[in-house]
Amino acid sequence: MRRNNSQMNLYGKGSLPIVGCLVLFSVVLGTTDLGFIPVPTAAKSATIMHLPTIVASLLEGWPAGMIVGAVFGLTSMYTPSSAVASDPLVVLLPRILVGITPYLTYRWTGMLGEYSRLGLAAVVGTLTNTVGFLGMAWFLGYFDFETIVDVAWKHGLPEIVVAVLIVLPAVVLLRKAQVWIETVLD
């Protein structure tokens, strides 16, 4: 039985392996530091760890996105590079939201083409991560506003480009993998 690409849920036969792989990928990215790219700014590193969360959200819906996002946040929190990175309000809450906003963006942009919807969802998910993390860090007094703006420009724009370049093909390929898994399991 072939699944409609716009039908996202956590109950298909191919869902558990895909979500499990994305959770594992988040853990590996976080615990090996492969998900954090060192940069000479106040934030100390740019991240690609939000990408599995965005992919989970687009493939399986917001519940899966929230699960992978929570793993992303917990991994970040328990392997902190600074005091701000160990604060659950700064690290955990925005990362869980990264699991929701790409899904909603994808659903609400149904009038656009498929690739545009996926690209826009990747942009929104990345902005949720960047703005959520930096906004909470500013709100809780970890960084001043000038530092936040500097980090947002230096990290946010490259992270958006990388997100679109990785999320688009990843979602397309994993959708094909889901169809194959469901065929094998039937």
Side-chain angles (χ1 to χ4, degrees), residues 4-175:
N4 180 349
N5 282 343
S6 66
Q7 175 187 1
M8 296 182 253
N9 64 54
L10 200 53
Y11 307 109
K13 292 177 184 173
S15 299
L16 188 58
I18 298 292
V19 173
C21 286
L22 291 168
V23 165
L24 178 62
F25 195 53
S26 287
V27 170
V28 169
L29 285 175
T31 58
T32 63
D33 289 335
L34 292 173
F36 300 100
I37 302 161
V39 292
T41 65
K44 295 189 175 42
S45 64
T47 185
I48 58 170
M49 277 200 52
H50 60 294
L51 301 184
T53 303
I54 294 171
V55 170
S57 174
L58 293 171
L59 287 174
E60 300 299 338
W62 62 268
M66 288 180 66
I67 291 167
V68 177
V71 170
F72 164 30
L74 290 169
T75 304
S76 300
M77 196 168 66
Y78 290 110
T79 55
S81 58
S82 63
V84 67
S86 62
D87 188 324
L89 289 175
V90 175
V91 178
L92 193 56
L93 183 61
R95 274 58 191 272
I96 291 172
L97 292 175
V98 171
I100 300 171
T101 59
Y103 171 82
L104 293 176
T105 301
Y106 182 84
R107 297 298 274 190
W108 292 342
T109 56
M111 70 299 247
L112 300 175
E114 183 66 11
Y115 294 136
S116 298
R117 293 171 72 193
L118 291 172
L120 189 57
V123 169
V124 169
T126 302
L127 285 173
T128 301
N129 183 56
T130 302
V131 172
F133 179 90
L134 293 174
M136 286 300 280
W138 171 76
F139 181 74
L140 296 172
Y142 287 104
F143 299 130
D144 60 37
F145 188 73
E146 184 178 309
T147 302
I148 294 296
V149 171
D150 182 55
V151 171
W153 281 111
K154 289 179 181 173
H155 293 224
L157 292 177
E159 287 178 4
I160 286 171
V161 171
V162 170
V164 171
L165 291 174
I166 292 175
V167 167
L168 253 158
V171 170
V172 170
L173 290 172
L174 287 171
R175 281 182 179 162

